[in-house]
Amino acid sequence: MRVNEVVEITKGKLLTTPSIAEFSRIICDVERVQKGDLFIAKDIAQTPQAIAMGAYGIICAHMPDIDDEELAWIMVEDLQDCLTRLIRYKLLAKNIATISLNPIEEAIAQEIIIDERTKFFHNDLYAFIELLNNEQISFVFTHNEHILEISFEVIQAHKPKERPFLVISHTLFDSTIFYQSTHYRINLPKLFLNDLGAVVNLCENKAIEYSLNHFKHIPFFKPNFLNAFGKVIDYGQAAKVAIAEEDIEQFKKYMAYIANNATWGKLLFLVPDIYLELFNQIAQTFAYKTQEELYTYIHHNNFNFALILGIDDNTLVHTLNTNHKQILEPNLFSDIMEERYARKTEL
């Protein structure tokens, strides 16, 4: 950007008569400054370091001690407003589209989109202005409210009346679909196929490159298969499954989905103590107060599907695999027991 453009866009005041005419990038993190950059000084004390690293210009909100008249020193009334103006200018000048998806759609999009022009971003505005230095970007996926507010247009995915693919078959946790003359078996439950359809339609409409072959899994309704000793094992290798979910609304959807699609299974619903009365009205539910108590429920109860509210998947897996109360290390006896359990499951 040219110096006079920055001054005009930010409504700033140029305090010097610099010898340079333009900047190569806009940077807010002083450690990332390179020769030719414009540095936005959140902390005026960082300006000497920025200059030493090659900054051609400084934007600040307070009158600085100018020790180099050759640089462009620009003073603005408010850094946040300055940042907003620069971001809006870049979005408009580069014709960058902002896309907002629900959490399920976004997780699917991150799995299948392979277009180098797209970025998924959830940091603050200072990091966002640096991201926009990338000349390749055409699409930014975000749920950052500040970015969505200052964007000129926010694109959303819309669930189609008819899915763009044919569902061949499905189990509780995966689906086989037929799309563009190809069969795909993906680890995505029927519960989320409409979200997949919305993302595929979005990519087609906006010419965003994607590949269903890249889909592995998303961190929603993620099944953790448990062996006879309560430890997480490979996908599909046991008849006991534990699923974690932090969001109460998603948890309700999961309850209904399992109840409707796994009528043959024995269900175990576990919730934090404060939610027990609420969920007991829907189905038999047990309350836990600590991770140790949760582990005890899962380890000692007989079930096919345990659905746990209030923790994320990483915490659940850690609790199951490393709980200090009872970890059974593999030995000859446990190997025999696991083999018997596997045979019983196959039957």
Side-chain angles (χ1 to χ4, degrees), residues 26-58:
I26 299 175
I27 297 296
C28 301
D29 182 353
V30 70
E31 299 295 335
R32 294 168 52 84
V33 172
Q34 297 177 4
K35 184 177 180 180
D37 288 343
L38 171 62
F39 177 62
I40 298 180
K42 294 179 286 183
D43 182 357
I44 198 69
Q46 294 179 334
T47 56
Q49 181 180 350
I51 295 170
M53 295 177 73
Y56 277 11
I58 306 291

Side-chain angles (χ1 to χ4, degrees), residues 62 147 227 308 330 335:
H62 304 284
I147 295 174
N227 67 10
I308 303 104
D335 288 343

Side-chain angles (χ1 to χ4, degrees), residues 3 14 16 18 20 23 38 56-59 69-74:
V3 173
L14 185 61
T16 56
I20 50 95
F23 310 109
L38 171 62
Y56 277 11
I58 306 291
I59 289 182
E69 296 282 345
E70 297 295 309
L71 301 182
W73 291 83
I74 302 170

Side-chain angles (χ1 to χ4, degrees), residues 13 36 68 77 81 92 130 172 252 270 275 283 340:
K13 180 179 181 181
D68 191 336
E77 290 187 5
D81 179 69
L92 185 62
E130 293 191 3
L172 200 62
K252 291 177 182 177
L270 298 168
Y275 293 117
R340 288 180 180 175

Side-chain angles (χ1 to χ4, degrees), residues 182-195:
T182 304
H183 286 84
Y184 298 92
R185 183 175 181 181
I186 55 178
N187 293 327
L188 190 72
K190 183 179 68 171
L191 179 66
F192 300 141
L193 289 182
N194 286 339
D195 297 284

Side-chain angles (χ1 to χ4, degrees), residues 221-236:
F221 202 67
K222 176 178 172 289
N224 296 289
F225 290 84
L226 310 180
N227 67 10
F229 307 102
K231 293 189 69 175
V232 178
I233 58 176
D234 292 340
Y235 183 94

